[in-house]
Amino acid sequence: MKKIISLTILGILLFSCSEDFLNKDPLDFVSPDNYLTNETRLELLVNSIYNNIDFGGTSTEYKRQYPFIYDVMSDNAWDYSTWEGATDFARGTVTANNSRVQWKWDENYQGIARANTVIEQIADKGDEIESDNKARYLAEAKFLRAYYYNDLINFYGDVPLILTPGDLDDAQPSRNPISEVLAQILQDLEDAAADLPLSYDDSGDQGRATKGAALALKARVLLYQSEWQKAADAAEACMDLNVYSLYPDYLGLFLEENETAVSASEAIFQVYYTPITNPSFFNMPLAGWWPSFQPTLQLVDSYYMKNGLPITDPNSGYDPENPFMDRDPRLYASLYYPGGPFHMAMWGMVEDTSRWEHMGMLGLGGFHCRKWINEDLVDINNTEGTNKLFIRYAEVLLTYAEAKNEVSGPDASVYDAIDQLRNRAGMTTLSSAMPGLSKDEMREVIRNERRIELAFEGLRLSDIRRWRIGEEAFVNTTGYDSQFLKTYSYPGDYNGTTEDWHYVVIEYDQRSFNPSRDYLWPIPISEINSNKNMVQNPGYD
């Protein structure tokens, strides 16, 4: 889908020039009434809808939809660069003037407007176009409209449900209840799943929505609404397509060099990027010099041991004096940590080493993100083309496990879904490590598994809110004392603390959570000021 993510120009005005041009109508005027005359133009219209998945129409890199920016808004990471617009969410100080509040609202509704245009144009002028793909184009538009509306209700709650383009009779819409928007989302996804293909043969079509993407998104939507049986059914339907499987290497799953294999296995819905012409800028905020993205010690402590037990279990073998020994391999694949192997070409560090003399550069709290990072990349500005995974098969397995457990408890299929992830990670399976769990115990394991498996993929914030655990999650973040890290070199021998080295835990970021307000974002102030019918969310007035 390299061509899909490029900015599509929808309106072109061409005027004929002559001495009396003021007295003539334009000879070639493109308008909504005469634009859709062939399949090429229809495809361009559909392509334009995809742009808003990742803010593809903007050249401002930090405005793009970095999935991990939402981890900064959760308990997985923190960022003291307030200018980036993310820190206020976790600190409980966000206002309706926040730039990211505005961007998400604008981009979603722009995508919806484009989808509405395609849906209406196909309905009105579809018979005039010769194409075998009209049903598929319509299905793509409906899938994307559902994607954008689900994002809106997830962050803002009730939102205006707009299904026709340019409706001047309803220029100041009121907010529709979530139930009404949800009904439209599910109808769009049902329609989309019926007409979308399992896959695409043409390389230029890679990245378009598929039947699997529609079913996976439906499962996510229903899970977020606690519709457990329906969510389990949708996830199972996606699994039963027998199209997807887990990519065997968790670390390699997120590297550009493996994208072809990942696209053929685990990727369900992703945005493609190309170095130089359309770089993804993943490494800039993750591996850059400023402390924009600092993983928390709370996240680190949530990783189990390799034997499948949590570090709080007295039988796990966890040693607080040697905290990184024998942990879940996904910790090593997702994070750089004191004493661990480090390789970063952009910093001139090209030798893998477990002894690093400048520990402070790991991050102010002693950790740095490894997931998504191309360690051999030297020019991080425009030579990176890492695709962004927005839905992958692991999430479907986790959705099934969570929903099925809520319906019937931890049966064999629930264990099996988690065991697939554990097997891929290279750790003891859940069925071996913790058999016979109760429903409540399994719920906590699955929630932790989601946090670990999907770390830095932007879903943790939504999980916190739908589980209603904001007060538990938004406590002050902790990490290791960066001054101590800079003063002493870690021995790098995995022998834990020594006479000259020990871990000093301190608080870094002050968090606050107001349960009567912070489960939703504010409606952007521009919407409140321009629409007399728009009502603000509670607590943001």
Side-chain angles (χ1 to χ4, degrees):
M1 199 179 74
K2 304 288 185 181
K3 63 181 180 180
I4 294 178
I5 61 172
S6 300
L7 180 61
T8 304
I9 301 177
L10 298 177
I12 304 172
L13 303 179
L14 300 176
F15 292 90
S16 175
C17 297
S18 65
E19 292 182 359
D20 58 344
F21 69 93
L22 292 176
N23 297 320
K24 292 185 176 182
D25 292 327
L27 299 180
D28 188 4
F29 182 82
V30 179
S31 71
D33 292 331
N34 65 13
Y35 177 82
L36 197 59
T37 58
N38 55 56
E39 182 174 3
T40 298
R41 288 185 171 182
L42 175 56
E43 184 180 26
L44 286 173
L45 280 175
V46 174
N47 290 353
S48 72
I49 314 173
Y50 284 88
N51 285 335
N52 299 91
I53 291 291
D54 195 36
F55 299 2
T58 176
S59 61
T60 305
E61 293 85 358
Y62 65 84
K63 187 177 178 182
R64 287 187 170 176
Q65 185 83 305
Y66 296 115
F68 47 77
I69 200 67
Y70 299 104
D71 283 69
V72 167
M73 303 174 188
S74 78
D75 54 353
N76 280 354
W78 63 283
D79 175 9
Y80 69 55
S81 300
T82 56
W83 64 270
E84 292 182 315
T87 58
D88 289 340
F89 294 90
R91 293 175 179 174
T93 57
V94 70
T95 70
N97 287 303
N98 184 278
S99 58
R100 293 191 180 275
V101 168
Q102 185 72 58
W103 293 343
K104 178 174 283 292
W105 181 277
D106 290 348
E107 291 297 321
N108 278 318
Y109 271 114
Q110 186 179 74
I112 289 167
R114 291 172 172 177
N116 286 340
T117 297
V118 169
I119 294 168
E120 182 181 75
Q121 288 288 296
I122 291 178
D124 291 347
K125 300 183 179 297
D127 293 340
E128 302 173 16
I129 301 173
E130 294 184 7
S131 172
D132 295 330
N133 297 317
K134 281 184 289 187
R136 192 203 82 198
Y137 290 138
L138 180 60
E140 288 181 77
K142 289 187 174 183
F143 168 84
L144 291 167
R145 182 167 69 178
Y147 187 97
Y148 296 131
Y149 265 124
N150 183 60
D151 199 44
L152 284 168
I153 64 173
N154 185 32
F155 282 86
Y156 303 98
D158 299 343
V159 295
L161 179 61
I162 302 171
L163 301 175
T164 56
D167 185 1
L168 296 180
D169 293 331
D170 191 21
Q172 294 190 327
S174 301
R175 299 170 67 179
N176 293 74
I178 285 181
S179 59
E180 294 179 11
V181 184
L182 179 64
Q184 185 62 52
I185 291 170
L186 294 174
Q187 184 62 60
D188 279 348
L189 290 175
E190 182 177 339
D191 294 345
D195 289 318
L196 287 171
L198 289 175
S199 61
Y200 295 87
D201 296 326
D202 190 331
S203 61
D205 288 328
Q206 301 307 307
R208 292 185 182 277
T210 61
K211 183 184 296 291
L215 291 173
L217 179 57
K218 181 180 180 182
R220 178 191 287 181
V221 170
L222 291 165
L223 186 78
Y224 282 14
Q225 299 301 319
S226 299
E227 294 281 355
W228 306 120
Q229 184 62 62
K230 293 178 181 178
D233 291 343
E236 189 171 23
C238 182
M239 295 155 62
D240 288 345
L241 294 176
N242 295 318
V243 172
Y244 307 105
S245 60
L246 295 177
Y247 182 74
D249 177 12
Y250 185 78
L251 174 62
L253 171 63
F254 305 97
L255 299 180
E256 185 177 351
E257 62 195 61
N258 301 319
E259 285 175 350
T260 300
V262 171
S263 297
S265 56
E266 188 161 351
I268 295 180
F269 189 58
Q270 62 182 323
V271 172
Y272 282 68
Y273 281 92
T274 307
I276 308 299
T277 57
N278 191 25
S280 52
F281 298 106
F282 251 123
N283 277 38
M284 175 62 77
L286 290 179
W289 295 102
W290 65 89
S292 296
F293 190 79
Q294 304 290 304
T296 65
L297 184 58
Q298 285 97 328
L299 170 63
V300 175
D301 285 346
S302 67
Y303 284 86
Y304 284 15
M305 300 296 286
K306 189 176 181 180
N307 61 19
L309 298 175
I311 65 173
T312 55
D313 190 313
N315 298 314
S316 69
Y318 174 70
D319 178 6
E321 297 297 310
N322 193 4
F324 304 113
M325 179 68 77
D326 296 328
R327 299 291 290 277
D328 180 338
R330 287 172 292 187
L331 186 154
Y332 312 132
S334 302
L335 291 155
Y336 295 114
Y337 56 93
F342 193 88
H343 174 107
M344 189 68 68
M346 63 162 286
W347 289 349
M349 305 194 72
V350 295
E351 296 295 330
D352 289 325
T353 177
S354 61
R355 180 183 175 89
W356 191 23
E357 299 297 329
H358 303 289
M359 293 302 303
M361 293 177 66
L362 265 183
L364 293 182
F367 304 102
H368 212 76
C369 181
R370 186 179 187 187
K371 197 175 191 177
W372 302 108
I373 288 182
N374 181 345
E375 298 175 324
D376 295 316
L377 197 65
V378 176
D379 180 3
I380 64 173
N381 290 315
N382 51 28
T383 59
E384 182 185 18
T386 307
N387 293 349
K388 296 181 183 178
L389 295 166
F390 285 94
I391 306 177
R392 60 184 180 93
Y393 187 56
E395 182 193 345
V396 175
L397 293 175
L398 287 163
T399 294
Y400 175 82
E402 181 179 351
K404 185 69 173 177
N405 182 61
E406 295 298 334
V407 172
S408 56
D411 61 20
S413 68
V414 175
Y415 271 99
D416 179 67
I418 303 301
D419 284 350
Q420 291 184 55
L421 301 176
R422 296 285 181 89
N423 280 325
R424 190 257 296 276
M427 62 187 297
T428 302
T429 60
L430 182 63
S431 55
S432 295
M434 303 173 71
L437 292 174
S438 68
K439 182 177 182 178
D440 290 345
E441 290 169 335
M442 178 62 82
R443 180 185 300 119
E444 293 308 308
V445 169
I446 291 172
R447 289 183 177 187
N448 196 77
E449 193 75 18
R450 280 186 66 91
R451 184 177 189 180
I452 297 311
E453 175 68 29
L454 304 174
F456 312 142
E457 296 179 49
L459 299 180
R460 175 64 177 171
L461 179 61
S462 295
D463 284 344
I464 289 172
R465 295 193 307 199
R466 68 186 180 88
W467 294 331
R468 313 300 284 185
I469 59 170
E471 291 171 285
E472 170 190 333
F474 289 105
V475 295
N476 296 343
T477 63
T478 58
Y480 295 141
D481 188 345
S482 62
Q483 294 305 312
F484 192 86
L485 293 175
K486 291 176 182 177
T487 304
Y488 299 98
S489 298
Y490 185 82
D493 55 9
Y494 294 98
N495 290 326
T497 60
T498 69
E499 233 178 82
D500 297 323
W501 172 273
H502 58 93
Y503 298 103
V504 179
V505 178
I506 64 173
E507 290 186 353
Y508 273 98
D509 196 36
Q510 305 299 307
R511 299 294 179 90
S512 177
F513 187 83
N514 181 349
S516 65
R517 179 193 65 199
D518 295 336
Y519 280 114
L520 291 175
W521 282 11
I523 304 298
I525 192 63
S526 62
E527 296 297 319
I528 299 297
N529 291 339
S530 63
N531 182 355
K532 64 181 181 180
N533 297 317
M534 187 66 66
V535 179
Q536 184 57 275
N537 278 327
Y540 292 107
D541 293 326

